[in-house]
Every structure is written in C-alpha cells, then in structure tokens.
Amino acid sequence: MQKKDCFELGYIIKKNGYKGDVAARFESDDPDRYMQLDALFLDMKGQFVPFMIEKCEHLKQDNYLLHFEGYDTESSIKKLLGCPIYLPLEFLPQLDDQEFYYHEVEGFTVIDESFGVVGELSEIRTDTVQDLLITEKEGKEILIPLAEQIFKGIDKEKREFYVSAPVGLIEMYLDSNKDVNDENE
C-alpha cells in the first residue's frame, strides 16, 4: 500500500488504560461510518503497516477507542502513539460533481472570477482557523480562504477550481512581495 492509494483518516492520540487500547481521532465529517472497520493502516516512519482491529468504540466527539489484534499491553502500543491512520481511497464515499475531497483537487488550476488564472493548487491547508487554498503565481505564494462565499465550483474533467476572491486579495500577495529595492527606486 502506498500513500497515493490512501487517505489520512486521523491519528493515534494516546494510550487508554493498561490493556493495549489506544484513543484515536478520526478527522471526518462522518467518523461513525468507520466504526465497522476490520483493519486500517498506520504510517510508521514511512511504511504503511496494516493493523487488524479487535474493538472500535466511540469515546466522545471525533475520538474513538481502538484495540488492535496482538497488542494487549501498555508497552506494546508505545510505538503507535502519534502515528497517522490511513485507509484505501475506495473507502471514501462517492461525491456529486460539485463536492470534492481536498486531496483530489491538488494540481487543479485555480481561476478567479475577476483576476483570471491564479495558478496551480498545491495544497489545501487545514491547520488554520479557515481552510486555505495555496497556489503560486510569478513565484509568489497566494493564500485564498476556502469559504462558501468564495468557492464557486469545480470542473473535474478540465481540472479547474473556480473562486471569487475578495477584491484585491490576489493582487495584495503579488504587490506585497515586491523587492524592497523596487520601492526605493
């Protein structure tokens, strides 16, 4: 199994008790759909290792209690703590035309209603308060909030991602990155 064939479901948070249980966070809009899994993959230093699940119970919010086959002691799970959890892409539910998973739009061309072609979508950053589209134009990184009022649609066949960025946002990134020497001339 390779990373390109999988999606990241979450990660192992901490040990839970003394009998080999771990708490895991499932980062999904419907994490309960994954409660009946028989197995999952953990990324252990770049290797995708399959783990058979003996028990999966909902703890609270997006946190779940997992017990893996053959891991029955506190010491046996220490190396699992912090490991990302992956599942094969075929476990993702099908979406309609204007819905998308973040990983599938990487590489799409971002097109703004007013500005035109902004650049290639390199990633969608989710570690901020607002998810951000990250693209590049003229060697300069441009961050566009992924908000409902900004997202205008996608064309999966053309690999295009349509937005209506706030007026001046894109230009601000292009202008603010000018060389200081240019301003002093």
Side-chain angles (χ1 to χ4, degrees), residues 9-21:
L9 175 62
Y11 57 96
I12 305 295
I13 301 170
K14 62 182 182 176
K15 60 185 177 179
N16 192 317
Y18 300 99
K19 297 184 180 182
D21 293 341

Side-chain angles (χ1 to χ4, degrees), residues 16-171:
N16 192 317
Y18 300 99
K19 297 184 180 182
D21 293 341
V22 294
R25 176 167 304 232
F26 291 174
E27 296 174 343
S28 167
D29 56 348
D30 185 11
D32 286 341
R33 98 170 36 124
Y34 303 106
M35 291 268 313
Q36 302 304 318
L37 292 173
D38 294 327
L40 50 73
F41 293 88
L42 295 184
D43 180 353
M44 302 184 74
K45 299 180 181 177
Q47 295 290 328
F48 284 83
V49 180
F51 283 80
M52 300 304 294
I53 299 172
E54 286 185 352
K55 173 174 68 175
C56 181
E57 296 174 3
H58 187 228
L59 289 173
K60 62 179 181 177
Q61 296 172 333
D62 297 335
N63 294 345
Y64 291 80
L65 179 72
L66 298 175
H67 188 91
F68 299 119
E69 189 176 292
Y71 288 80
D72 298 321
T73 64
E74 181 182 7
S75 62
S76 67
I77 59 170
K78 284 184 181 180
K79 63 184 175 188
L80 309 181
L81 303 180
C83 288
I85 299 169
Y86 285 86
L87 290 174
L89 289 173
E90 57 262 17
F91 280 76
L92 290 172
Q94 292 295 323
L95 301 177
D96 61 22
D97 286 344
Q98 290 304 302
E99 295 179 311
F100 58 91
Y101 293 108
Y102 287 4
H103 70 271
E104 73 179 328
V105 295
E106 289 178 6
F108 278 35
T109 301
V110 176
I111 300 173
D112 180 69
E113 283 181 339
S114 302
F115 187 85
V117 174
V118 180
E120 184 178 300
L121 179 57
S122 60
E123 72 174 292
I124 298 178
R125 185 172 294 157
T126 60
D127 59 350
T128 57
V129 173
Q130 175 73 53
D131 291 352
L132 297 170
L133 301 175
I134 301 178
T135 186
E136 191 176 298
K137 184 161 188 79
E138 300 170 7
K140 297 169 184 156
E141 186 176 75
I142 298 172
L143 307 176
I144 302 172
L146 182 55
E148 193 173 314
Q149 63 271 26
I150 293 174
F151 172 69
K152 296 302 174 192
I154 59 173
D155 186 324
K156 292 180 181 179
E157 285 185 25
K158 291 183 179 178
R159 298 182 50 81
E160 294 178 339
F161 195 101
Y162 305 108
V163 297
S164 179
V167 175
L169 177 72
I170 297 167
E171 295 84 356

